[in-house]
Structures are given as structure tokens and as C-alpha cells.
Amino acid sequence: MAKTAKKAIPENRDIEKTPKIPQPDYQRREFLHLLETVEIIVSKVLSLAMVVVIGVSIWNLGVFTITSLFTADIKSYYKVLFQVFGLFLNVLIALEILENISGYLKKQVIQVELVIVTSLIAVARKIIILDLDKADGIDIIGLGIAVLALSISYWIVRSQNRKE
């Protein structure tokens, strides 16, 4: 009788030990390039959306200023004035956000200093339009802590940026 040769069938443990085939470098670069392209497109769309938001905010500010500020009686004048200040700060915050987006598009880096400044403006806006008659003490303490924390953060980031 003739003997038939048996081929060695690898066991499961041999298959598990098989090294994984590394992904070619060009595929990783192509994928990262695709991600960067998507980030740039999204940033540009956000920039255009912020331009629209800023335009509408300026329009609303102008309409509100003309209709409310010049027609308000003396009793409600200060309330209307603070509303106008709040709308001005809304436009400034939107401009800062647009600057954040355009800075990212230019350098591909989120500028922490600019983000902190934007946050400080937002907290300042909240403080300016805050109705002290209706505000709780805890709200005022919270805003004070936020200003303090953001100020310290800004100082740290600014001093680090100067060293570099």
C-alpha cells in the first residue's frame, strides 16, 4: 500500500501568532490627508455661517438701536441701553469666533489664547446684562470665579507664548 503524505494543517494557535500585515505608509498618509481635507471644508463652511450670523446680528443691532433706543422713555432707557450693549457684545463674540476659525484655517492649530479671550468676552457680556435685582448670590459668585479662572488661564497661556 502506498502511503499518502499528509500536509500539516496549522493549528489555531499558529494562526493567532501570525503577525498582522502592517498598513502601507501611503494608505495612512492618504487617510490623514482625507481627514485634513474634511476639517478644512468644515472650517470653511463654519466661517461662512459665522459671516452670515455676524451680518444678521449687525442688522438686528441696527434695527433694535433705532427702534428702541431712540423711542424709549426715560424709565426704560437704561434697560434698553444694556440690551444694546449686550447686542454689541454678541457681535464681538461672533467676530472672535470667526477669528478662531480663520486662525485654525491659517495655522491648523487651535489658538488657546484666542479661545480664552472669547470666553472672557462672553462672561463679561453676561455680567453687563445681568439684572442684579433678579440674580442670586451664587450666580454672581459663579461669574466671579469664571472671570478669575479665565484670567489666570489667560495669564498662564500668554506667559508661555511669550517664552516661545
Side-chain angles (χ1 to χ4, degrees):
M1 287 191 12
K3 289 186 179 180
T4 58
K6 288 187 175 180
K7 289 187 177 180
I9 300 174
E11 296 178 14
N12 286 341
R13 60 188 165 149
D14 292 337
I15 293 173
E16 291 173 2
K17 291 181 182 177
T18 307
K20 293 182 180 179
I21 300 172
Q23 188 179 24
D25 194 40
Y26 72 90
Q27 285 181 345
R28 276 184 258 150
R29 282 193 308 253
E30 286 178 2
F31 181 71
L32 290 174
H33 180 69
L34 175 69
L35 287 178
E36 288 175 6
T37 304
V38 169
E39 286 178 2
I40 290 171
I41 291 170
V42 168
S43 297
K44 288 180 180 180
V45 168
L46 286 174
S47 294
L48 292 174
M50 281 308 298
V51 168
V52 170
V53 167
I54 291 169
V56 170
S57 297
I58 290 172
W59 175 259
N60 285 338
L61 174 63
V63 169
F64 183 80
T65 302
I66 291 170
T67 58
S68 300
L69 195 60
F70 294 125
T71 60
D73 58 354
I74 296 297
K75 292 179 183 176
S76 64
Y77 181 75
Y78 292 109
K79 184 177 181 178
V80 171
L81 189 62
F82 279 107
Q83 289 174 336
V84 169
F85 288 158
L87 291 174
F88 266 103
L89 288 173
N90 282 345
V91 173
L92 286 177
I93 291 168
L95 286 171
E96 289 293 326
I97 292 171
L98 181 61
E99 180 66 27
N100 287 335
I101 296 169
S102 59
Y104 176 77
L105 283 171
K106 291 175 190 171
K107 298 181 180 179
Q108 297 293 316
V109 173
I110 296 175
Q111 299 172 346
V112 177
E113 186 175 328
L114 199 53
V115 172
I116 294 171
V117 168
T118 306
S119 302
L120 273 169
I121 292 171
V123 173
R125 178 198 176 278
K126 182 67 178 173
I127 291 170
I128 288 172
I129 65 170
L130 185 67
D131 187 0
L132 293 176
D133 295 333
K134 296 179 183 176
D136 293 334
I138 195 75
D139 294 335
I140 297 170
I141 291 170
L143 288 170
I145 291 171
V147 168
L148 182 64
L150 287 169
S151 300
I152 292 170
S153 300
Y154 180 76
W155 177 75
I156 291 170
V157 170
R158 180 104 175 159
S159 64
Q160 289 298 318
N161 287 344
R162 285 185 182 165
K163 288 179 183 177
E164 295 172 3

